[in-house]
Amino acid sequence: MSFLSLKSVWFALAAFAAVMVGSPAAAVLPVQGYEVRATYPHDTGAFTEGLFYLDGVMFESTGIEGRSSIRKVRLRDGAVLQSVATDPDKFGEGIVNWGSEILSLTWRDEIGYRWDLKTFARKGSFRYPGEGWSLTQDGKSLIMSDGTPFLRFLDPRTLRETRRVRVTAAGRPVVNLNELEWVKGEILANIWMTNRIARIDPATGAVKGWIDLTGLPETLSRRDPDAVPNGIAYDRQGDRLFVTGKNWPHLYEIVLKPLKAAAK
């Protein structure tokens, strides 16, 4: 999601999200830990809003007006191989690949863009109501988050909404769904201002469990309140899962531990 100039708003929203994730209803859901398999460099100037892995490289979008960009990044050393700046008055948000294109969102301008996957040349734009936070895809539809408990499913050709699901944890709505990734038939979603990732059933919107990233170095001493976990990418061919955060110095390849049932 996005940088807000009023820290009081940050913390109010964060408190609300923390209450939801830590509520008695959400607590009945299983929690999954992780092990770090590999650590890679990440640009500390990258206010990460979107992330996906394709053909051996990482694609990343960054936010903040005047600094928003779309990048192709070499995984092993974090080198930026290619980049394009978005309009300086726009706050860049999530990205996803579809065919020969990258599609990107902006936060509050209700406009998204189509980019050529190889050249990064802008090919067109599209409109949507409300805020834009993140994008992923399941091979049939694009899936978009907007900060509400709803995920929108979009036709990749027309960008029109075809359906939406309400995300709930033990029956209660989950807000602040941030960066998304489709992994093995589930939607993974960073929960903004928390260290948790929700594992979401795309058919029902029900959260099946949480992935807790607490313990990664950047989660333990956060001097910058914006430097939250945000960025999930999956290498389907290699079956590798990657996570990072806004302005983090590292990107991590992690292996998930077995689900642990919640204490009763």
Side-chain angles (χ1 to χ4, degrees):
M1 187 268 183
S2 314
F3 172 90
L4 300 180
S5 58
L6 299 176
K7 289 190 177 180
S8 60
V9 179
W10 284 339
F11 296 129
L13 287 171
F16 183 82
V19 168
M20 177 61 252
V21 173
S23 69
V28 304
L29 296 172
V31 178
Q32 206 162 2
Y34 64 91
E35 292 180 358
V36 175
R37 175 178 287 175
T39 302
Y40 305 95
H42 182 253
D43 180 5
T44 56
F47 198 78
T48 306
E49 297 291 356
L51 197 69
F52 68 84
Y53 183 91
L54 183 67
D55 297 333
V57 293
M58 198 70 71
F59 291 79
E60 182 174 19
S61 62
T62 67
I64 300 179
E65 291 90 344
R67 292 169 47 191
S68 298
S69 67
I70 296 172
R71 307 169 169 193
K72 182 188 291 185
V73 180
R74 189 164 57 205
L75 178 62
R76 61 179 171 85
D77 59 3
V80 177
L81 304 176
Q82 190 176 356
S83 68
V84 61
T86 54
D87 292 340
D89 62 335
K90 301 291 191 298
F91 195 120
E93 287 281 351
I95 55 171
V96 68
N97 63 298
W98 185 265
S100 62
E101 296 182 331
I102 294 173
L103 293 96
S104 69
L105 301 175
T106 59
W107 179 24
R108 288 180 164 174
D109 292 286
E110 299 187 334
I111 188 170
Y113 299 103
R114 293 181 180 269
W115 310 84
D116 185 274
L117 180 63
K118 291 184 178 181
T119 67
F120 282 12
R122 187 182 295 182
K123 299 175 64 176
S125 62
F126 57 95
R127 289 282 182 178
Y128 51 85
E131 296 186 0
W133 286 35
S134 183
L135 285 170
T136 190
Q137 53 117 327
D138 62 3
K140 298 178 180 179
S141 300
L142 305 185
I143 305 166
M144 172 182 169
S145 63
D146 58 11
T148 73
F150 291 94
L151 293 176
R152 312 179 195 183
F153 288 71
L154 310 177
D155 181 298
R157 184 177 62 86
T158 65
L159 280 302
R160 293 177 180 171
E161 183 176 328
T162 58
R163 72 181 181 98
R164 62 173 57 194
V165 295
R166 182 172 179 258
V167 178
T168 59
R172 296 187 60 181
V174 180
V175 298
N176 293 341
L177 301 168
N178 210 346
E179 221 277 308
L180 306 175
E181 181 75 355
W182 180 268
V183 180
K184 298 180 180 179
E186 298 179 348
I187 301 168
L188 302 190
N190 285 116
I191 307 300
W192 184 50
M193 285 297 188
T194 79
N195 292 332
R196 288 197 168 185
I197 293 172
R199 296 177 51 207
I200 302 166
D201 183 327
T204 65
V207 174
K208 301 166 68 175
W210 308 104
I211 300 167
D212 188 356
L213 297 180
T214 300
L216 291 176
E218 291 85 351
T219 69
L220 299 177
S221 57
R222 189 182 303 156
R223 296 180 180 179
D224 179 357
D226 286 317
V228 295
N230 200 47
I232 311 167
Y234 181 58
D235 171 13
R236 289 164 177 77
Q237 291 184 333
D239 190 23
R240 296 186 295 171
L241 185 64
F242 304 97
V243 295
T244 190
K246 300 175 187 288
N247 303 128
W248 282 20
H250 302 108
L251 180 147
Y252 299 95
E253 179 186 339
I254 62 172
V255 178
L256 298 181
K257 294 181 178 180
L259 283 168
K260 182 186 296 184
K264 295 182 179 179

